[in-house]
Amino acid sequence: MSDFGINEMQQMQRELQDKYKGIWEPISPETGKNKLLWMIGEVGEVIDIIKKKDGERAEKGTKLRKELVEELADVLMYYNDVLLCYDITAEELKEVYSEKFKRNMTRW
C-alpha cells in the first residue's frame, strides 16, 4: 500500500472545489480564515469522540473508530483547503516541517 500524501489530498480538494464552485467558498487567501475556523470545528468533533464517547475504545472494526477516522478526515480536508488558500505546497511544508523537527530534536 502506498502512502497517502499531501499532494494527493490537495488534488482531491481541488476536484471538490471545482465540483462545488459557486456553492462553496472559493479557495483564496480571503477565505483561508473561514476554512481554518471550519477545521477547528472538526477538531472539536474529534475531541468530543475522544472525551465524551471514550475514544480509548475506538478499536479497529468498531463504529466508534469509523466515526473517529471520518472526523479526522474532515480535519485533513479543511487543513488541505487552508494550505490551498495560501498556496502552500507539499514541498514547502516538508521543508519547513523538517527544519522545525530538527529544532525540536535539540530543544531539551
Side-chain angles (χ1 to χ4, degrees), residues 27-90:
I27 292 295
S28 69
E30 293 80 31
T31 60
K33 176 182 74 171
N34 293 340
K35 300 290 185 182
L36 186 59
L37 292 172
W38 282 105
M39 183 183 78
I40 291 168
E42 295 297 339
V43 169
E45 292 185 29
V46 171
I47 292 167
D48 284 345
I49 291 169
I50 292 170
K51 183 177 177 184
K52 296 179 182 176
K53 296 183 180 180
D54 194 14
E56 290 179 15
R57 295 184 311 137
E59 298 170 8
K60 286 187 178 183
T62 65
K63 181 181 175 190
L64 185 60
R65 183 179 183 89
K66 183 176 182 191
E67 188 179 340
L68 175 62
V69 173
E70 185 173 324
E71 293 305 332
L72 286 168
D74 287 344
V75 171
L76 281 174
M77 288 178 143
Y78 281 112
Y79 172 78
N80 278 285
D81 276 349
V82 171
L83 294 177
L84 290 171
C85 282
Y86 297 104
D87 197 28
I88 298 170
T89 65

Side-chain angles (χ1 to χ4, degrees), residues 1-2 6 12 16-17 21-23 29 31 33 38 40 45 51 55 71 75 80 83 88 90-91 98-99 103 106:
M1 183 168 112
S2 66
I6 290 175
M12 293 169 84
L16 280 171
Q17 290 296 327
K21 189 176 186 174
I23 298 171
T31 60
K33 176 182 74 171
W38 282 105
I40 291 168
E45 292 185 29
K51 183 177 177 184
E71 293 305 332
V75 171
N80 278 285
L83 294 177
I88 298 170
E91 293 74 24
S98 296
E99 290 170 6
R103 281 197 315 268
T106 61

